[in-house]
Amino acid sequence: MHRTHNWVLWCLALCCIFLTWPVGGLAQETGRSNASPSLAERIKERRKERVQRNGAAAGGVQSAAAITLPGDYAFSLAYQGHQRSYRMHVPASYLPGVPAALVLSLHGGGGNMDYQASDAYYGQISKSEQMGFVAVFPNGYSRLPGGKLATWNAGNCCGGARDAGADDVGFIRALLERLHTQLNIDRKRIFANGMSNGGMMAYRLACEAPELFRAIASVAGTDNTSTCTPSQPISVLHIHARDDDRVLFNGGAGRERAAVTDFVSVPSTVSKWVGLNGCPAKPQRVLEVSGAICELYAPCRGGVEVKLCVTDTGAHSWPGGAKVRGGAPGSTALSATDVIADFYASR
């Protein structure tokens, strides 16, 4: 029995030697490219995958290392003495060797990145998976822990960000540079969209950093910049409800003005960008369904377009999505998420 036991141990040891012995010279010369990963390497890779996939879901802030795997992430970025945050969704189709399109999606005033990243409200994660773009959700300026009740300094609006003179354009520039170190992003396919105050911020980006974006889209937020001298044409999509009770379609504030402004009207906003982009004054009706229309101003300088979509109802909302604060349902005559994605794809 003792002899048999020794023989078994000897066989197991011999098998281990053969299993770990280098096979030929190619694997050695190519740095294990043809060799199976060791147990330690497999454990390390699985741990890395768990962190990359689950870190954001667990609410943790991750290190800003290069990202090679799909999943959800949360990061912070120091800018002008403040820790600014952003969430990211990398779709399953992402390949590090292939440049990917990038969409920045900006939350509304008094919200935060978590709201904008919620599929139930805005559908950006599902659209990212469908279209293959990386979705990034920056957090606006906030003095509160966790970045709650955040706003964007979009010029004449809104709230704390405007009052503090937050350099949100500078923050977005710094964020984009960070993202280029984390992911393989196609610099010619970077887009921005936003809801309400976030849409207003998208307009400020179009005014002050059009060279960084292929197109911008705003939902329920007009252009309230104080100055606007874009260095080049940029495609613009605007979506708004005629009965918006907060950012009024024909201008003005639907509530206390101190935290916001007397909002510029939708017609004035569209007319402004038609002029800035050198588009024809008369649009083409490109969509007419029950409860909604879309009109296109094209061709414009540099091959860009200006597009306006209007829903009859829905008040202050993202058409096709759910309202964060409840209330009357938004319009279902069209899906803002789909219209925006199609607009980007056509660019």
Side-chain angles (χ1 to χ4, degrees), residues 102-104 106 172 190-194 198-219 221-223 225 228 233-239 269 273 277 304-308 339-341 343-344 347:
L102 171 68
V103 173
L104 295 185
L106 310 176
I172 294 298
I190 299 177
F191 307 89
N193 66 51
M200 297 173 197
M201 186 63 209
Y203 275 119
R204 185 164 189 180
L205 293 173
C207 289
E208 299 182 27
E211 74 282 0
L212 299 179
F213 298 93
R214 187 82 170 189
I216 67 104
S218 177
V219 179
T222 53
D223 183 345
T225 53
C228 184
I234 180 171
S235 291
V236 170
L237 167 64
H238 190 95
I239 302 174
T269 293
W273 282 96
N277 283 328
V304 305
E305 296 177 344
V306 174
K307 187 175 184 179
L308 170 65
V339 171
I340 292 170
F343 186 70
Y344 290 165
R347 303 287 81 229

Side-chain angles (χ1 to χ4, degrees), residues 163-209:
D163 298 343
D167 181 12
D168 283 329
V169 174
F171 164 57
I172 294 298
R173 286 184 180 274
L175 172 59
L176 288 176
E177 286 307 308
R178 159 76 73 82
L179 293 173
H180 285 301
T181 69
Q182 293 182 285
L183 296 153
N184 187 359
I185 298 299
D186 186 344
R187 290 181 182 269
K188 295 183 179 179
R189 292 190 297 147
I190 299 177
F191 307 89
N193 66 51
M195 169 65 190
S196 189
N197 181 210
M200 297 173 197
M201 186 63 209
Y203 275 119
R204 185 164 189 180
L205 293 173
C207 289
E208 299 182 27

Side-chain angles (χ1 to χ4, degrees), residues 9-25:
L9 291 177
W10 183 85
C11 288
L12 289 172
L14 187 61
C15 288
C16 289
I17 292 173
F18 279 114
L19 286 172
T20 57
W21 195 266
V23 181

Side-chain angles (χ1 to χ4, degrees), residues 43-343:
I43 292 173
K44 182 178 179 181
E45 185 62 29
R46 288 179 182 177
R47 183 180 300 152
K48 177 182 177 183
E49 183 174 347
R50 282 198 303 271
V51 169
Q52 290 199 350
R53 288 184 185 276
N54 301 326
V61 174
Q62 296 149 271
S63 64
I67 294 170
T68 58
L69 296 169
D72 295 296
Y73 305 82
F75 300 99
S76 65
L77 171 65
Y79 183 74
Q80 292 191 339
H82 295 275
Q83 284 295 324
R84 304 292 295 265
S85 302
Y86 61 101
R87 293 178 65 97
M88 180 192 306
H89 179 78
V90 180
S93 60
Y94 176 74
L95 297 172
V98 180
L102 171 68
V103 173
L104 295 185
S105 194
L106 310 176
H107 62 78
N112 59 60
M113 61 186 183
D114 295 333
Y115 287 122
Q116 199 68 19
S118 170
D119 239 20
Y121 299 134
Y122 303 108
Q124 299 292 284
I125 302 297
S126 295
K127 189 57 69 173
S128 164
E129 289 294 336
Q130 179 186 342
M131 305 293 288
F133 61 79
V134 174
V136 174
F137 309 93
N139 211 82
Y141 174 87
S142 172
R143 293 190 178 96
L144 299 179
K148 304 300 182 184
L149 299 178
T151 54
W152 298 100
N153 181 6
N156 294 320
C157 189
C158 296
R162 177 202 58 193
D163 298 343
D167 181 12
D168 283 329
V169 174
F171 164 57
I172 294 298
R173 286 184 180 274
L175 172 59
L176 288 176
E177 286 307 308
R178 159 76 73 82
L179 293 173
H180 285 301
T181 69
Q182 293 182 285
L183 296 153
N184 187 359
I185 298 299
D186 186 344
R187 290 181 182 269
K188 295 183 179 179
R189 292 190 297 147
I190 299 177
F191 307 89
N193 66 51
M195 169 65 190
S196 189
N197 181 210
M200 297 173 197
M201 186 63 209
Y203 275 119
R204 185 164 189 180
L205 293 173
C207 289
E208 299 182 27
E211 74 282 0
L212 299 179
F213 298 93
R214 187 82 170 189
I216 67 104
S218 177
V219 179
T222 53
D223 183 345
N224 289 273
T225 53
S226 50
T227 60
C228 184
T229 55
S231 59
Q232 63 187 58
I234 180 171
S235 291
V236 170
L237 167 64
H238 190 95
I239 302 174
H240 217 105
R242 290 192 187 279
D243 66 345
D244 194 317
D245 55 344
R246 293 194 171 234
V247 182
L248 305 185
F249 189 89
N250 289 314
R255 53 181 168 157
E256 174 59 43
R257 288 176 172 79
V260 289
T261 188
D262 256 336
F263 295 116
V264 173
S265 72
V266 172
S268 293
T269 293
V270 173
S271 177
K272 171 181 178 176
W273 282 96
V274 165
L276 287 171
N277 283 328
C279 307
K282 186 175 181 180
Q284 313 159 44
R285 182 68 58 88
V286 292
L287 175 72
E288 187 165 5
V289 297
S290 178
I293 63 164
C294 290
E295 295 181 333
L296 181 68
Y297 298 81
C300 312
R301 286 190 299 113
V304 305
E305 296 177 344
V306 174
K307 187 175 184 179
L308 170 65
C309 291
V310 179
T311 60
D312 292 339
T313 61
H316 194 63
S317 64
W318 183 281
K323 288 186 177 180
V324 173
R325 295 178 177 87
S331 174
T332 57
L334 57 77
S335 163
T337 300
D338 291 343
V339 171
I340 292 170
D342 291 344
F343 186 70

